[in-house]
Amino acid sequence: MKTSFKNLFLLFFIFCGLVSQAQNDGRSRIERNVPLVVAESFNAVFSAKDPVWFTRYQGENNQELVYEAKFIFNNRYCKSVYDFNGNQIVFAATVDYRELPEGARKYMEEKYPFFPIVEALMVTDNENQVTYEIGVYIDNQYMIQVFSKEGDFIKNTKP
């Protein structure tokens, strides 16, 4: 009887841990109930676009809920991220390889000549700082190489 109670107690804690991890894993989820202030903020800039909305948690310990609008703008896949108060945090748009700064292209050709680029984005943050993010798979891990507007290497990160 004691052993089955201990096993049941252990299973309960494992289940609670999995549930809490599932709620804060940072992955995007489709959102149908976007706050009005967030939708109005998006429509003020991209009024003619019809986005698909997602929510995810980000920040330290995945505690900040953000809203992502994914849409097509100027024939590019775009993403605009907002906080709960409707403030735009970041805007990202896909770019072609030829549109990347020359320094970023040279860096990628020298450092990763055998790794194809999966995704290239031009990212503008809420302070109008422009960076370029280039996604590649290195040893079966997705890595993002970040470059300045001028093409200078800044850092590499894992999403």
Side-chain angles (χ1 to χ4, degrees):
M1 183 71 174
K2 275 188 170 181
T3 305
S4 63
F5 181 75
K6 286 181 184 178
N7 288 340
L8 185 61
F9 193 69
L10 181 63
L11 283 173
F12 175 76
F13 277 110
I14 291 172
F15 177 76
C16 289
L18 291 173
V19 168
S20 68
Q21 178 61 30
Q23 291 175 351
N24 289 326
D25 65 359
R27 294 188 191 144
S28 296
R29 292 175 178 78
I30 292 180
E31 180 63 49
R32 292 182 184 4
N33 298 317
V34 177
L36 185 59
V37 68
V38 174
E40 287 175 346
S41 182
F42 175 84
N43 289 330
V45 179
F46 306 105
S47 60
K49 303 302 168 201
D50 187 23
V52 176
W53 287 97
F54 294 86
T55 57
R56 68 180 168 89
Y57 288 92
Q58 70 177 22
E60 191 173 323
N61 298 322
N62 288 330
Q63 293 184 358
E64 180 184 352
L65 178 65
V66 295
Y67 296 88
E68 295 180 354
K70 294 185 180 182
F71 57 102
I72 296 176
F73 181 67
N74 288 342
N75 294 324
R76 298 174 190 267
Y77 292 102
C78 299
K79 173 172 71 171
S80 189
V81 181
Y82 298 86
D83 66 11
F84 186 77
N85 297 319
N87 300 314
Q88 187 179 35
I89 298 170
V90 70
F91 173 78
T94 56
V95 294
D96 189 67
Y97 181 77
R98 296 177 307 259
E99 297 174 291
L100 292 171
E102 186 177 342
R105 288 183 297 193
K106 282 184 180 179
Y107 180 90
M108 294 302 292
E109 290 167 3
E110 290 173 7
K111 297 283 186 181
Y112 306 106
F114 303 109
F115 297 98
I117 293 175
V118 176
E119 181 178 46
L121 299 171
M122 181 179 71
V123 179
T124 307
D125 66 11
N126 58 354
E127 296 174 358
N128 287 328
Q129 295 289 330
V130 175
T131 58
Y132 289 90
E133 296 183 0
I134 300 173
V136 294
Y137 278 101
I138 301 171
D139 298 329
N140 292 327
Q141 285 194 327
Y142 188 72
M143 299 289 290
I144 299 171
Q145 311 299 316
V146 182
F147 297 88
S148 70
K149 184 177 182 178
E150 293 77 28
D152 300 321
F153 177 76
I154 298 173
K155 63 181 179 177
N156 61 15
T157 63
K158 294 179 186 178

